[in-house]
Amino acid sequence: ARALFIGRFQPLHRGHEEVIKWLLGRHEELVVAIGSANESFTPKNPFTVGERIEMLISMLKELNLISKVMYCAVPDTKGDSALWYAYVHGQCPSFDVAYTNDEFTRLCFEYGNVKVLNTPFFNRETYSGTRIRELMATGDKSWRDLVATGVLPVLGRINAEDRVRRLMQKQI
Ligand code: ATP
Ligand code: MG
């Protein structure tokens, strides 16, 4: 059976890495869907979909998992989340079951009669996109330990820490 794992990956971190490995232990094939694909350069979604694709491919190459994973991009439906499952259907390779730990995402899938399962949490307090963006904004380099090693060169090349810090500065 083919599984789908969807997230915003702002940025892709070690929690996502552990989920992807866990899913590949249970499914021959995996689709990683990049959500909020139309969002970038905001405090919550600092990275473009292209940059997030680079993070994913770079990590998968380093882990030798590239041949087992397909990826796709799903934009937001803005106010009308009832349409969201249809966007997923239109944008993603077909899949048998979707995995998410996000309650709103689960709600939207269930509305579309998509089978949804949870994954375990891995170190959720530290492996968190919100936490990583906060560390980046304060210039705390410990965020580097929270992303996969394959992701680091991508974040370095695009000056991710500087971008996040500037996006999170209060506008005056
Ligand atoms: P943000 O804080 O920006 O929302 P996030 O860490 O929740 O970032 P997302 O891209 O929103 O990451 O999440 C994608 C999926 O990964 C969700 O289903 C989320 O529950 C799951 N996830 C995130 N972190 C972990 C973790 N440490 N262990 C297991 N699952 C995780
Ligand atoms: Mg989240």
Side-chain angles (χ1 to χ4, degrees):
R2 188 186 289 161
L4 178 124
F5 177 49
I6 186 153
R8 294 182 358 269
F9 310 120
Q10 294 281 10
L12 186 71
H13 59 62
R14 286 193 188 274
H16 303 132
E17 175 184 355
E18 291 304 318
V19 170
I20 288 169
K21 289 181 187 163
W22 182 85
L23 285 169
L24 284 172
R26 278 154 189 80
H27 295 270
E28 309 85 73
E29 288 185 307
L30 176 64
V31 178
V32 175
I34 301 173
S36 300
N38 54 309
E39 294 279 336
S40 67
F41 285 85
T42 70
K44 196 179 169 195
N45 292 293
F47 308 118
T48 69
V49 67
E51 289 163 346
R52 290 177 275 162
I53 290 170
E54 287 192 58
M55 293 179 212
L56 179 66
I57 298 300
S58 182
M59 183 188 82
L60 292 173
K61 277 186 183 164
E62 197 173 282
L63 297 172
N64 274 316
L65 295 175
I66 192 101
S67 63
K68 295 178 174 187
V69 180
M70 290 181 270
Y71 72 87
C72 54
V74 182
D76 289 337
T77 49
K78 302 294 172 190
D80 199 351
S81 295
L83 293 174
W84 184 78
Y85 77 91
Y87 272 44
V88 173
H89 185 65
Q91 295 296 123
C92 301
S94 65
F95 59 93
D96 304 295
V97 54
Y99 284 85
T100 183
N101 287 334
D102 185 77
E103 197 56 27
F104 185 72
T105 305
R106 167 180 278 273
L107 194 65
C108 294
F109 273 132
E110 285 174 353
Y111 178 72
N113 290 316
V114 174
K115 185 181 176 193
V116 197
L117 295 173
N118 285 100
T119 76
F121 278 111
F122 300 93
N123 228 328
R124 183 53 165 149
E125 298 73 38
T126 36
Y127 296 163
S128 144
T130 300
R131 169 127 184 79
I132 290 167
R133 294 191 300 276
E134 282 168 3
L135 291 169
M136 285 176 160
T138 56
D140 183 334
K141 309 285 181 213
S142 66
W143 66 262
R144 291 177 182 164
D145 300 327
L146 309 182
V147 302
T149 52
V151 171
L152 271 178
V154 180
L155 293 175
R157 188 169 42 73
I158 65 176
N159 292 317
E161 186 182 295
D162 180 65
R163 185 190 302 177
V164 170
R165 184 178 52 75
R166 290 162 67 184
L167 287 170
M168 286 175 70
Q169 268 168 4
K170 286 244 160 42
Q171 300 300 309
I172 48 163

mmCIF file of all heavy atoms in Angstrom, residues 8 102 124 130, ligand 2:
data_model
loop_
_atom_site.group_PDB
_atom_site.id
_atom_site.type_symbol
_atom_site.label_atom_id
_atom_site.label_comp_id
_atom_site.label_asym_id
_atom_site.label_seq_id
_atom_site.Cartn_x
_atom_site.Cartn_y
_atom_site.Cartn_z
ATOM 1 N N ARG A 8 3.969 21.104 6.143
ATOM 2 C CA ARG A 8 4.430 22.343 5.509
ATOM 3 C C ARG A 8 5.947 22.342 5.374
ATOM 4 O O ARG A 8 6.507 23.007 4.524
ATOM 5 C CB ARG A 8 3.949 23.565 6.308
ATOM 6 C CG ARG A 8 2.437 23.711 6.277
ATOM 7 C CD ARG A 8 1.913 24.951 7.019
ATOM 8 N NE ARG A 8 2.924 25.751 7.650
ATOM 9 C CZ ARG A 8 3.339 25.591 8.924
ATOM 10 N NH1 ARG A 8 2.804 24.676 9.689
ATOM 11 N NH2 ARG A 8 4.281 26.354 9.400
ATOM 12 N N ASP A 102 -1.771 16.166 12.713
ATOM 13 C CA ASP A 102 -2.379 17.494 12.811
ATOM 14 C C ASP A 102 -3.905 17.336 12.743
ATOM 15 O O ASP A 102 -4.436 16.793 11.777
ATOM 16 C CB ASP A 102 -1.858 18.371 11.668
ATOM 17 C CG ASP A 102 -2.367 19.793 11.779
ATOM 18 O OD1 ASP A 102 -1.821 20.530 12.615
ATOM 19 O OD2 ASP A 102 -3.331 20.131 11.067
ATOM 20 N N ARG A 124 8.835 15.607 20.233
ATOM 21 C CA ARG A 124 8.000 16.683 19.709
ATOM 22 C C ARG A 124 8.324 18.063 20.293
ATOM 23 O O ARG A 124 8.148 19.086 19.622
ATOM 24 C CB ARG A 124 6.515 16.344 19.941
ATOM 25 C CG ARG A 124 5.527 17.350 19.386
ATOM 26 C CD ARG A 124 5.787 17.618 17.916
ATOM 27 N NE ARG A 124 4.689 18.293 17.253
ATOM 28 C CZ ARG A 124 4.855 19.140 16.234
ATOM 29 N NH1 ARG A 124 6.061 19.428 15.789
ATOM 30 N NH2 ARG A 124 3.821 19.692 15.646
ATOM 31 N N THR A 130 7.928 25.360 14.548
ATOM 32 C CA THR A 130 7.759 26.626 15.280
ATOM 33 C C THR A 130 8.982 26.903 16.146
ATOM 34 O O THR A 130 9.522 28.014 16.158
ATOM 35 C CB THR A 130 6.498 26.557 16.163
ATOM 36 O OG1 THR A 130 5.362 26.322 15.314
ATOM 37 C CG2 THR A 130 6.296 27.849 16.947
HETATM 38 MG MG MG B 2 2.485 21.854 12.458
#
